[in-house]
Amino acid sequence: LLAHTTMNTFILLLVTLAVIAKAQQWTIDDSIKAGVMVGIGCGDDSHAVAGTCSQTEGAIPSFYDGSWDKTKNLQAGLVMDIASTAGNAVTVASSLGGLFQSPDQGGSWSAVPGMIGICQSVNPLGDKGFGAVGQFVVGKKSGSGVAYTTDAETWDFAPIPGDSVRYGAFPSETNWFVSAGMWDTSDDSANSTSTTMFAGHSQHHNLGANLHVGKKSPLHVKDGEEQSWWGKIWQTTDGGKTFTESFSSPVEDQYYFNAISCGSETNCVAVAEGIKGSGPYVCALTTNDGGKTWTKTFESTEHSSLM
């Protein structure tokens, strides 16, 4: 599920960033340190959560309420993303094993019932809900899509056609955007990249390029040959009842999407990475009309990853 060009993200020693003076100035907050941090969420302007992990303690999600505090009760391995409601009243963490929920700022955690799956994107949905993008089995429903709740109690699943959905944005309770895509998996040499986490320790493990769910999914055919690189953006305007294709990458482009973010129902940005010729390629696409049109507003062949 993870991009083969983004594996190095996970071997960096990261410290949590704290924003002060309403983003006019940034400073490193080194009161908490962790081997890995993937995902950060803010339920309001004075509370935050961070998906921190440690090579010796496993998942140690951190909570901010004037100061940062680590929690040690989440048995989830690597936290892939994390989000919270206002005041950190309810927190949801995603992982390679499903979704976990805490009602007491990390004092206790429980797996979201009736659900298993792989998810690397979870975000607030409305005032009390969450939307998580990935591959899930929820009751009798399964596949790629969005696991969601509007009250942090009852969860449901909204399937999306195809596979390889990646990240989501939920600017309202009914209007959602989901990025999707896949890199070329046909050439083993292109997938040889792997990263060893916590090298030198007995608990180290490898994150490889082939860490994804589903089979090779060619979307385009060019000159009679399948093109495995592809990217899509899906949209729903009825709270997940139906999804429509908002954007599909042109045949000649070889990239897939990573994160997508929406400041409103009309304004969004999605970032992508891939190859151009024999070198790396990244780009960003934006919409200012609610997904009717998408414009490439940034591209570069000098960077190999854009998350």
Side-chain angles (χ1 to χ4, degrees):
L1 195 65
L2 298 172
H4 69 272
T5 54
T6 60
M7 291 298 100
N8 288 337
T9 305
F10 299 103
I11 61 171
L12 297 177
L13 177 64
L14 299 181
V15 293
T16 304
L17 288 173
V19 60
I20 60 175
K22 294 187 178 179
Q24 295 177 13
Q25 181 181 355
W26 290 83
T27 183
I28 296 291
D29 182 345
D30 60 2
S31 61
I32 281 192
K33 297 181 180 180
V36 179
M37 185 182 79
V38 187
I40 189 166
C42 298
D44 57 47
D45 61 3
S46 59
H47 295 82
V49 288
T52 43
C53 304
S54 164
Q55 63 192 24
T56 57
E57 299 172 280
I60 48 170
S62 301
F63 288 75
Y64 182 81
D65 182 8
S67 61
W68 286 99
D69 293 302
K70 291 187 292 187
T71 61
K72 301 180 181 181
N73 301 317
L74 176 57
Q75 304 300 314
L78 179 66
V79 174
M80 298 301 299
D81 200 8
I82 195 165
S84 66
T85 58
N88 289 342
V90 180
T91 303
V92 173
S94 67
S95 74
L96 297 178
L99 300 173
F100 297 84
Q101 189 167 312
S102 174
D104 52 13
Q105 300 199 51
S108 62
W109 292 87
S110 61
V112 171
M115 176 186 304
I116 59 174
I118 296 177
C119 170
Q120 64 185 57
S121 173
V122 59
N123 290 279
L125 195 167
D127 293 332
K128 297 181 180 180
F130 298 90
V133 175
Q135 288 74 37
F136 295 100
V137 177
V138 185
K140 296 181 179 180
K141 301 177 183 180
S142 65
S144 291
V146 180
Y148 68 97
T149 177
T150 58
D151 57 11
E153 294 181 2
T154 304
W155 286 78
D156 204 346
F157 178 69
I160 295 178
D163 61 6
S164 301
V165 296
R166 298 181 53 74
Y167 294 84
F170 304 88
S172 75
E173 289 193 7
T174 56
N175 199 348
W176 314 341
F177 292 85
V178 175
S179 66
M182 180 57 71
W183 55 92
D184 185 3
T185 62
S186 61
D187 183 359
D188 290 340
S189 64
N191 293 304
S192 61
T193 302
S194 65
T195 294
T196 299
M197 293 184 61
F198 316 138
H201 294 268
S202 59
Q203 298 179 357
H204 78 274
H205 60 281
N206 291 329
L207 292 177
N210 293 314
L211 183 59
H212 65 273
V213 172
K215 60 185 179 180
K216 173 187 171 185
S217 305
L219 180 70
H220 298 310
V221 176
K222 182 179 180 182
D223 299 328
E225 295 184 0
E226 294 178 346
Q227 306 294 304
S228 290
W229 294 89
W230 61 268
K232 277 190 175 185
I233 297 174
W234 296 94
Q235 183 181 12
T236 178
T237 57
D238 54 17
K241 293 182 177 64
T242 59
F243 281 87
T244 57
E245 186 180 293
S246 179
F247 176 84
S248 181
S249 60
V251 173
E252 62 271 15
D253 285 357
Q254 294 183 297
Y255 62 76
Y256 61 91
F257 285 108
N258 286 318
I260 184 169
S261 179
C262 299
S264 68
E265 291 184 278
T266 55
N267 298 285
C268 303
V269 57
V271 294
E273 62 185 56
I275 59 172
K276 191 169 188 178
S278 59
Y281 176 76
V282 298
C283 64
L285 282 76
T286 59
T287 181
N288 296 310
D289 56 14
K292 294 182 177 65
T293 59
W294 291 85
T295 303
K296 190 179 293 184
T297 53
F298 173 78
E299 60 182 336
S300 173
T301 56
E302 297 180 357
H303 306 282
S304 61
S305 179
L306 197 63
M307 293 297 294

